[in-house]
Amino acid sequence: MSTPQPAAAGAPLLEVEDLKVGFGPRGHVNEVVHGISFAVESGKCLAIVGESGSGKTVTARTLVGLTGERSQVEAGKLDLGGRSLLGLSGRRWREVRGAEIGFVLQDALVSLDPLRKVGQEIAEPLRIHGWGERSGRRQRVIDLLTEVGVPEPELRARQLPHELSGGLRQRALIAAAIALDPSLLIADEPTTALDVTVQAQILELLQRTKERGRGLILISHDLAVVSRLADHVAVMRLGEIVEQGPVEQILRSPRHRYTRALLDAVPAAHSKGTRLAPRVAGAYIPAGDPQVPTVAGRAPIITAENLVKSFRGPDGTSRTAVDHVSLEIRPGETLGIVGESGSGKTTTARIILALIDPDGGNVTLRGKAWTTLKEKDRRQRRRRVSVVYQDPLSSFDPRWTVRRIVDDAIAEEDYRGKEARLGRVRELLGHVGIGPDLLDRRPLQLSGGQRQRVAIARALAPQPELIVCDEPVSALDVSIQAQVLDLLADLQSELKVAYLFISHDLGVIYHVSDCVLVMKDGRVVESGSAEQIFNSPQAEYTQKLLAALPRLDRTEPERKAVPA
Amino acid sequence: MATAIDPTVGGLPLPGGPAPARTGVLARVRGIRPAVALSVLFLAIIAIAALVPSLLTKGNPLAVNLGHSLQSPSLEFPFGTDQSGRSVYTRVIYGARESVLIGLGATAVGLGLAALLGVAAGLGGKWVDGAINRLLEVLFSFPGLLLALFLVAIFGSGVSTQIIAVGVASAPGYARMIRGQVLQVKGADYVIASRALGHKPSRTLFKNILPNAFRPLVVLATLGVGQSIVWASALSFLGLGVAPPKPEWGAMLDAGKDYIQTAWWLELFPGAAIVAFTLAASCLGRYLQRRIEGETF
């Protein structure tokens, strides 16, 4: 196995100058990356940060020659270890990939062959590049799995991808990428969709790669994630690098407005009670007091006592998803539930929505029976509690237009007649900043942010007292997330609606919540006011979660900010 | 400073820069494509042939003239003649009525039966589902033709038997598909959303579940029309369908098979009529689906 010669001291490992990438036939090329330049040194990490459509993934794929046949790549310079990668043939690229540049893809579940054992997947780069003998390769796979911190590596190597958890799959993917110890590792959103504690472990693993003197390019939409690892940050927007520099400089004294907006959009402790996104022309501006009213002491809308729910697993064993959970939601207040996947937060929400019946305990709505009612009797009162789902697209009938989706949620007796109903639809859409020009669009023709706005309009239509928001922003870009969170805050202050807000993102939960429940394995490990939970967490698990949370350290004074 | 951008579109405002372009909108072709226009034209001709065949041909489909037997296509007989000297063109035109009737009728019977069984299985719960599934398996295990023969034995031969026999034989396939669709749609998030809004189950069923479950069947049914005609022809071949002198595309295919080496036109033109009809029907079906429901998937 040949590792490329380390470049001369001081010279960067990877140098990219004026890189342009476009797609389409010659003469009609749609350029998506417009002449960007950056460099990566050995033992350093460059983070490329941007939102969807910024060109960051295309850039990453260009560096491993995987842009496809219809792409046009041009660059002033594209050198790895002093050798140009421009115009390599498919065969030469295959020699470079894996051996000299490792590539970790975003989604470990779809990136791993579902019919191939994990060990085979990791052995593949070794085999293709002619590394050692069969038995030696087997040992190397075990070593690699051990190196990336996979417990019981012999067992794991014999398993199929679906038998592994998300975190283990991501590790296996990284093991495959570093199998030949490439001098440069590119990771495209390696921790997106992972729980915060698992994310911290993966970042740790990448940190070790960096410390071994390898170059690292980290592609992410999340500035907080990269701030832990990156030495340099390049902020991309619409195919251009709008700003790049040392990580301290980008975080503490960003020069470009877009970088500042991105930083402001991250919800966290500092942002509580403030707006995350700049106000945009035409958006709904609420009347009156922007502060969330304090309403403690008023009778709760929802009271849940000792909820228990278990599910039977495919192997016949019973698993307790919700274990003696009690909670209260008061008018105009936001209760946040935070927990990792499998903690039972969504099941709790579904019991409160009376979509599933609890095995034990009960929920009352405004002091009256709720979960114990027959569905027929409950139907009338369902409009007092509505819901915004994580994936708005699947929560809409795909055949329906925006108008019909919202209209469907308006009670028959409240608005009669075509004109009155249409007026109400327009009014609701106005609340969420959707113009009448989108009335006849179908869900698929809307952007992610627009869909979630329509979903919120639908949730408002029955004039509910409580809206259950189940991970409403976790599929959105940070700037869109900021707009949606601002919108929810505006609606709360205007309409005095209460939220049950579910998220795996502690920053989001802290930003929106008055009270917080922390859940783990179906149990509430800690509850209290948001300040209490985040500033003086009592439970060990909460402390661990908070420690694992990537934070944007923007105010820490000890490291000197680089002068602009 | 802050450029006025559409607040509903993603991205943050950039000073002086254009609003980020997020065109998730699929460009919809409003103009009618030539293939659709051709389909409409062809189906119109078939409709005329089925309703008033005398507008398209002066000939008599049953007129035997042994002096003209097995002539290749010419100006006088554009599709040639058969062994009895009848004009194949005239017979194809007159055959449209029976063929289209059998195709549409059998598909309607098949889909109707399948909808009943499939929806009942999808919504009826464990026992109903189990019972219907066993019934479908029994139906599946008979070859379609055997099932049709069985029905003919009960009801006697004729066009209506042919329609019912072909319809029943094609029902299990559709029923399986509808059941799967109903099960899938029943668990969809938008159905749960409808329930969470407090809608009655009947409203959710008719407004969300059924329309979405039947969506993929529109195209399938148009293809099924052609398939039904082919199946019906097999019955005609066994003498259990349309009686011989009467023109019908499937029956014509079978009648011409003995002469296939010398008189290709006996097979080509009725066969082409079936293929063209199927193509036109499915092309129009797809187009209508797009126009009515938009590009939703």
Side-chain angles (χ1 to χ4, degrees), chain B residues 23-156:
Chain B
T23 49
V25 188
L26 297 161
R28 277 168 81 176
V29 185
R30 279 285 176 188
I32 291 180
R33 277 165 297 178
V36 177
L38 271 178
S39 302
V40 172
L41 189 70
F42 182 77
L43 290 176
I45 293 172
I46 294 293
I48 294 170
L51 296 171
V52 224
S54 56
L55 280 180
L56 295 171
T57 174
K58 295 286 166 239
N60 177 350
L62 304 175
V64 173
N65 184 345
L66 291 174
H68 289 303
S69 74
L70 292 177
Q71 286 188 3
S72 58
S74 63
L75 273 180
E76 194 188 351
F77 302 109
F79 291 177
T81 61
D82 66 7
Q83 68 280 15
S84 308
R86 294 172 296 205
S87 163
V88 174
Y89 171 71
T90 305
R91 286 178 66 77
V92 167
I93 294 293
Y94 274 86
R97 182 180 297 172
E98 301 283 304
S99 296
V100 171
L101 192 68
I102 291 169
L104 293 179
T107 307
V109 169
L111 274 181
L113 204 62
L116 219 62
L117 291 171
V119 171
L123 298 175
K126 210 170 156 188
W127 288 104
V128 180
D129 189 24
I132 292 176
N133 263 327
R134 296 298 89 74
L135 174 71
L136 291 181
E137 275 155 22
V138 170
L139 288 177
F140 260 126
S141 65
F142 283 104
L145 204 59
L146 201 65
L147 198 69
L149 280 175
F150 174 68
L151 288 166
V152 170
I154 296 174
F155 299 113

Side-chain angles (χ1 to χ4, degrees), chain B residues 209-226:
Chain B
I209 298 179
L210 292 186
N212 279 294
F214 282 100
R215 267 174 63 83
L217 284 161
V218 177
V219 174
L220 208 70
T222 54
L223 293 169
V225 173

